[in-house]
Amino acid sequence: MNELTLEICLSPELLHLYNLEGKTAVVVDVLRATSCIVAGLACGIASITPVASLEEARVLMAAGYIGAGEREGKQVEGFPLGNSPFSYMQPCLKGKKVVTTTTNGTQAIQRSLAASEIVIGAFLNLSAVATYLLQRSRSAVVICAGWRGKVNLEDTLLAGALAHKLENFFTWKDDSVLAAKALYAHMRADLHEHLKSSSHYQRLAHLGAQQDLHFCLEIDRFHVVPILANGEIILA
Amino acid sequence: MNELTLEICLSPELLHLYNLEGKTAVVVDVLRATSCIVAGLACGIASITPVASLEEARVLMAAGYIGAGEREGKQVEGFPLGNSPFSYMQPCLKGKKVVTTTTNGTQAIQRSLAASEIVIGAFLNLSAVATYLLQRSRSAVVICAGWRGKVNLEDTLLAGALAHKLENFFTWKDDSVLAAKALYAHMRADLHEHLKSSSHYQRLAHLGAQQDLHFCLEIDRFHVVPILANGEIILA
């Protein structure tokens, strides 16, 4: 068996330093894009199409997709869904196709297309993703969406949690993995408390999204693995 | 008094996201460029001129400077000094002018020129730099040299150590500061042990530089603050 390697790209701005070819990319944007995708698909949405711009989203909305649009943490006018996982879990969305565009998360997906496969990760499906990566038996790069190109705490912690789960099966040379894993070890006893001082947590709390914050930090609420196939995210 | 902010740029590849104007940039490349500069100036070198390319270094060597050249951890042929702090501490260098070019460290200095002032930081002069930043009373950005654009553990830890020392006097919004500071808190009891698994430590240990590694992780060996003035690094 080939040696499986794990890498962590702490910001999309560093993506040019990573070779994604032949690897699985795990895109993470804990607050809140990838948490929304995981929750929405687990609750019955048929597919979620990530697009980078609001314009592209509007084109698909005209074709019958339900639109989810977020910029700077706020729902965009004219889009029925924002970026709260609860809005993605509404029963009326069962079987529907959704198009989504967010500040950081969907942009990170678009920039990961060189990978052999793109998987959507969140704390909500942490163990499911780890198990999937083991089953695929392919080297992986965790791509943190960050905030406007800068490294953020919540995505780094999720990447560290994945490294923690995979450490007996994957190897790494990358200091980013060591750092993320140590950070997770340092904070895992109370993720929520540690994240309270992080920048995006405070931004969202200020916008009244406390319920979302609690929900997005729940570990293993869902046992699903969303993957990108033909431009749509569906369950593997 | 204005509020003093501290930011940490974890890789030179992220530098475009930071506004350095009016701020002090603290450049750190623990293994080994900035440790060499601190040790060399503390031991009597008159000035150290950082240049990005080997060609620029050769021009100054022709003008009488002592040349230090490192690429990929190894001393460059034709350069009397490499990138070991011990080579910078030789008594014969007292009062001499040195020109230096290294894989990551001097490049990070070149890219920080938009700052009001550039300070050279290492574990060797940790407290001296922290005290200097307090005395200057100016917002600061710590710029980690990293390794070929990727985030590395040793520079992140030094940035975290600075944040730890400055936390009662500086504020931050940046998750990079939270992450670096938590990482330092997690590892500070035995930095050397934790760094043993880091990529550049292993690279240097493989090249036989164990003595350098131990030395570069010594905290507060020197009470000097190198700063860049007119293209030369001298003691403040």
Side-chain angles (χ1 to χ4, degrees):
Chain A
M1 202 174 89
N2 286 332
E3 195 180 58
L4 300 177
T5 63
L6 180 70
E7 294 163 283
I8 295 175
C9 176
L10 292 169
S11 151
E13 297 283 320
L14 300 175
L15 206 43
H16 60 286
L17 303 168
Y18 292 81
N19 175 13
L20 301 184
E21 266 175 64
K23 297 177 187 162
T24 299
V26 183
V27 176
V28 303
D29 183 9
V30 170
L31 297 177
R32 299 168 282 173
T34 58
S35 298
C36 285
I37 293 169
V38 169
L41 290 173
C43 293
I45 290 176
S47 69
I48 299 175
T49 303
V51 297
S53 72
L54 293 168
E55 292 64 38
E56 292 165 89
R58 289 193 184 103
V59 170
L60 287 181
M61 285 162 73
Y65 286 63
I66 315 275
E70 172 266 348
R71 286 295 180 270
E72 310 298 323
K74 293 179 200 151
Q75 186 166 344
V76 180
E77 220 185 299
F79 284 73
L81 308 178
N83 201 16
S84 162
F86 297 108
S87 73
Y88 277 71
M89 294 161 71
Q90 301 173 73
C92 63
L93 294 175
K94 273 192 185 160
K96 297 280 199 278
K97 283 172 172 288
V98 168
V99 59
T100 181
T101 178
T102 67
T103 310
N104 305 285
T106 52
Q107 329 257 351
I109 294 170
Q110 295 291 327
R111 291 166 81 164
S112 308
L113 294 175
S116 290
E117 182 173 34
I118 295 181
V119 167
I120 303 300
F123 282 113
L124 293 171
N125 70 339
L126 170 62
S127 294
V129 169
T131 304
Y132 185 81
L133 292 178
L134 285 171
Q135 286 167 347
R136 298 299 275 176
S137 200
R138 187 150 57 188
S139 289
V141 184
V142 183
I143 298 163
C144 299
W147 177 258
R148 292 184 178 180
K150 289 188 183 176
V151 175
N152 76 18
L153 194 56
E154 64 274 16
D155 295 340
T156 305
L157 284 170
L158 175 55
L162 273 169
H164 174 73
K165 287 208 171 273
L166 296 171
E167 69 182 329
N168 294 327
F169 310 98
F170 285 68
T171 62
W172 44 75
K173 291 179 195 155
D174 205 358
D175 279 7
S176 299
V177 184
L178 291 178
K181 190 170 153 285
L183 211 56
Y184 178 67
H186 189 70
M187 297 187 171
R188 63 182 294 193
D190 197 346
L191 282 182
H192 196 261
E193 192 55 36
H194 281 287
L195 279 165
K196 270 187 184 163
S197 45
S198 75
S199 60
H200 200 50
Y201 187 105
Q202 296 203 336
R203 204 176 290 119
L204 290 176
H206 186 71
L207 296 170
Q210 277 89 349
Q211 239 194 322
D212 287 5
L213 293 167
H214 278 275
F215 186 78
C216 292
L217 299 179
E218 269 187 45
I219 291 180
D220 292 339
R221 168 94 174 220
F222 301 114
H223 294 279
V224 299
V225 179
I227 57 166
L228 189 72
N230 302 316
E232 292 184 335
I233 300 168
I234 55 172
L235 291 188
Chain B
M1 201 173 90
N2 286 332
E3 193 181 58
L4 301 177
T5 63
L6 180 71
E7 294 163 284
I8 295 175
C9 177
L10 293 170
S11 151
E13 297 284 319
L14 299 175
L15 206 44
H16 61 285
L17 301 169
Y18 293 81
N19 176 13
L20 302 183
E21 265 174 65
K23 297 177 188 162
T24 299
V26 182
V27 175
V28 304
D29 183 9
V30 170
L31 297 177
R32 296 167 284 176
T34 59
S35 298
C36 284
I37 292 169
V38 169
L41 290 173
C43 292
I45 290 176
S47 71
I48 298 175
T49 303
V51 297
S53 71
L54 294 168
E55 291 65 38
E56 292 166 88
R58 288 192 184 103
V59 169
L60 287 181
M61 285 163 74
Y65 286 63
I66 314 275
E70 171 267 348
R71 285 296 180 269
E72 311 297 323
K74 294 179 199 150
Q75 186 165 345
V76 180
E77 220 185 298
F79 284 73
L81 306 178
N83 201 16
S84 162
F86 297 107
S87 73
Y88 278 71
M89 294 162 71
Q90 301 173 71
C92 61
L93 295 175
K94 272 192 185 161
K96 296 279 198 278
K97 283 173 172 288
V98 168
V99 58
T100 181
T101 178
T102 68
T103 308
N104 304 286
T106 52
Q107 329 259 350
I109 294 169
Q110 294 292 328
R111 291 166 80 165
S112 308
L113 295 174
S116 290
E117 181 172 35
I118 295 180
V119 167
I120 303 299
F123 282 111
L124 292 171
N125 69 338
L126 171 63
S127 295
V129 169
T131 304
Y132 185 80
L133 292 177
L134 285 172
Q135 285 167 349
R136 298 298 276 175
S137 199
R138 186 151 56 187
S139 290
V141 185
V142 182
I143 297 164
C144 299
W147 177 257
R148 294 185 176 178
K150 289 188 183 175
V151 175
N152 76 19
L153 194 57
E154 64 273 17
D155 295 341
T156 305
L157 284 170
L158 176 55
L162 274 168
H164 175 74
K165 287 206 171 274
L166 296 170
E167 69 182 328
N168 294 327
F169 310 98
F170 284 69
T171 62
W172 45 74
K173 291 178 196 154
D174 206 359
D175 278 8
S176 300
V177 184
L178 292 178
K181 190 169 153 287
L183 210 57
Y184 177 67
H186 189 70
M187 297 185 170
R188 64 183 294 194
D190 195 346
L191 281 182
H192 195 261
E193 191 56 34
H194 281 286
L195 278 165
K196 271 186 183 164
S197 46
S198 75
S199 59
H200 200 50
Y201 187 104
Q202 297 203 336
R203 204 176 290 122
L204 290 176
H206 185 74
L207 296 170
Q210 275 89 347
Q211 238 195 324
D212 287 5
L213 292 167
H214 278 274
F215 187 78
C216 292
L217 299 179
E218 269 187 47
I219 291 180
D220 292 339
R221 168 92 173 222
F222 301 114
H223 295 278
V224 300
V225 178
I227 57 167
L228 189 73
N230 302 318
E232 291 184 336
I233 301 168
I234 54 172
L235 291 187

